[in-house]
Amino acid sequence: KQEVTQIPAALSVPEGENLVLNCSFTDSAIYNLQWFRQDPGKGLTSLLLIQSSQREQTSGRLNASLDKSSGRSTLYIAASQPGDSATYLCATVAGNMLTFGGGTRLMVKP
Amino acid sequence: NAGVTQTPKFRILKIGQSMTLQCTQDMNHNYMYWYRQDPGMGLKLIYYSVGAGITDKGEVPNGYNVSRSTTEDFPLRLELAAPSQTSVYFCASTHGSNQPQHFGDGTRLSIL
């Protein structure tokens, strides 16, 4: 059974810092890995999807990497802004099913 | 652009009552999913469907039922509500398992 872990559970940083969120998974037999953002009281918004054959994906200030052999993915946020404050979740995809980590709650202080 | 629409947004039920959570999407996605999210936790898959007439169990299906009579709609039914079903329920859809999932805003359900 796939288990997905996200560390840290919470993170508080001053505006402008570059930061890294970590995601680890136990079963490397995945189709892809997805990163989501969740704002309080809202659903999830897809940020980046990395196919199993890819090593990384970039969108604006976000860069996600995938190392299947070590069971790790990282989400790098450059020049963080207060508007980046949210919970970030990663999920592995195998077959038709997503397995989610518990999320990292990020607070970016002005 | 409506995307994925869930109703109701909030509901309080008594133990033993039943209800249906509605989910509809206007993106012509074949794949639809129901998740529950407990406080401070990630999402757990309840049921999913890969097309009209086809449904399958996820990780936590006990106490729930689904149907998929149309591409657009994927309702989730609770037959005998229990306090353990207090949660936030999310519906999602996608074109395929290698495509991003689109989520609704959730239904917050309390069972007292």
Side-chain angles (χ1 to χ4, degrees), chain B residues 5-100:
Chain B
T5 302
Q6 292 184 237
T7 56
K9 294 189 184 303
F10 304 93
R11 184 73 183 267
I12 298 174
L13 283 182
K14 294 181 179 179
I15 296 171
Q17 286 185 320
S18 63
M19 78 163 292
T20 299
L21 282 66
Q22 302 291 345
C23 175
T24 186
Q25 51 91 10
D26 62 358
M27 297 172 283
N28 201 32
H29 287 165
N30 282 324
Y31 291 64
M32 295 188 74
Y33 303 80
W34 275 106
Y35 297 93
R36 61 177 285 173
Q37 184 178 33
D38 297 321
M41 307 288 285
L43 281 70
K44 292 188 184 297
L45 182 64
I46 305 171
Y47 271 96
Y48 67 97
S49 169
V50 300
I54 305 169
T55 62
D56 211 343
K57 295 178 180 179
E59 184 181 358
V60 289
N62 291 344
Y64 307 94
N65 280 300
V66 294
S67 60
R68 184 91 182 274
S69 57
T70 67
T71 299
E72 295 78 18
D73 300 308
F74 190 39
L76 176 73
R77 182 155 181 88
L78 283 69
E79 291 292 352
L80 287 171
S84 62
Q85 295 177 305
T86 294
S87 190
V88 182
Y89 291 83
F90 289 102
C91 178
S93 72
T94 182
H95 273 300
S97 56
N98 255 348
Q99 300 295 320

Side-chain angles (χ1 to χ4, degrees), chain A residues 2 16 19 30 33 38 50 54 72 78 83 88 91 102 104 109:
Chain A
Q2 178 75 281
L19 54 98
I30 62 173
L33 186 140
Q38 185 176 28
I50 313 174
Q54 297 175 320
R72 295 179 187 275
Y88 292 81
T104 293
K109 298 180 179 178

Side-chain angles (χ1 to χ4, degrees), chain A residues 60-86:
Chain A
R61 293 183 294 108
L62 305 180
N63 175 276
S65 67
L66 174 63
D67 184 344
K68 280 180 55 178
S69 61
S70 66
R72 295 179 187 275
S73 176
T74 60
L75 179 66
Y76 176 83
I77 302 177
S80 58
Q81 303 170 358
D84 294 329
S85 298

